[in-house]
Amino acid sequence: MIKQFVPQKTCLACQGCCRFAQAKSVWSVRLLKEEKKSLCLSTYNLPLIFASTQQQYMCVFFMPCKNKCLKYAQRPFECQLYPFLLNRCGTKVVLVVDTHCPFVQKTMHGKKFSAYAAYLAKLLRTKRYLAIFKDNIHIAGRYPGVVNLKELFSFT
Ligand code: SF4
């Protein structure tokens, strides 16, 4: 598991994640190949369900009554990474942060944020992660409203 940046209490009090405005959202979770198998899901993007009362889609694993993830202890790599993401920029993959996250808005100019971004970039450049990304390049998306932090690697 990746060390978390946003405190759990802050996440549980927020209504932002795991819900999406469209069925095909750039923000819906991209699974690694092995996660797709272990979660028994057939696509790279998690299936979403429509919640008619709130006119929005949500991840199949999200429990709106508790504002929690049913799979939290085994949540996908992308969910562990968030509010950080892998962004594709030509042939480069860049570590970015989502500025829609209220905790990021509050902290992104502080020392703790810089230290965490450095920790994450170092971790994601290790052989183990580079091998995972090589086999799962689809997890790098093209996200709007993000801020570039560090270039991680290039692919051809
Ligand atoms: S797997 Fe869990 S953390 Fe990830 S989007 Fe679904 S509900 Fe949210």
Side-chain angles (χ1 to χ4, degrees):
M1 282 274 164
I2 295 173
K3 201 164 68 179
Q4 294 297 281
F5 177 63
V6 184
Q8 194 178 19
K9 204 175 155 194
T10 306
C11 277
L12 290 173
C14 179
Q15 303 279 319
C17 290
C18 316
R19 289 151 275 220
F20 312 93
Q22 299 95 23
K24 286 196 174 180
S25 169
V26 69
W27 301 104
S28 61
V29 181
R30 293 156 195 257
L31 299 171
L32 302 177
K33 288 178 187 171
E34 60 265 33
E35 291 170 342
K36 186 178 73 160
K37 282 187 207 143
S38 64
L39 293 168
C40 300
L41 296 171
S42 58
T43 61
Y44 286 137
N45 286 56
L46 279 178
L48 303 172
I49 51 172
F50 184 62
S52 57
T53 47
Q54 292 128 4
Q55 296 286 300
Q56 65 184 6
Y57 293 82
M58 61 183 73
C59 173
V60 282
F61 298 127
F62 183 64
M63 299 183 290
C65 53
K66 296 190 174 168
N67 200 34
K68 269 186 178 174
C69 172
L70 185 64
K71 297 271 180 188
Y72 189 76
Q74 308 96 35
R75 66 197 181 286
F77 166 78
E78 258 215 334
C79 305
Q80 294 174 44
L81 197 61
Y82 190 81
F84 298 84
L85 296 148
L86 301 183
N87 207 33
R88 195 186 276 223
C89 186
T91 58
K92 292 175 183 166
V93 173
V94 180
L95 178 66
V96 298
V97 69
D98 182 7
T99 53
H100 297 99
C101 169
F103 191 73
V104 168
Q105 290 165 12
K106 251 198 262 172
T107 59
M108 74 179 293
H109 301 294
K111 281 184 188 163
K112 279 190 182 165
F113 182 93
S114 308
Y116 184 86
Y119 147 79
L120 203 50
K122 191 175 172 194
L123 180 75
L124 299 180
R125 284 188 187 123
T126 56
K127 275 189 191 165
R128 177 181 168 226
Y129 279 101
L130 291 178
I132 292 172
F133 299 150
K134 200 176 161 195
D135 204 30
N136 290 277
I137 200 66
H138 63 273
I139 67 157
R142 290 189 173 89
Y143 300 99
V146 295
V147 168
N148 285 2
L149 298 173
K150 312 243 183 214
E151 186 183 322
L152 293 177
F153 61 95
S154 293
F155 62 95
T156 51

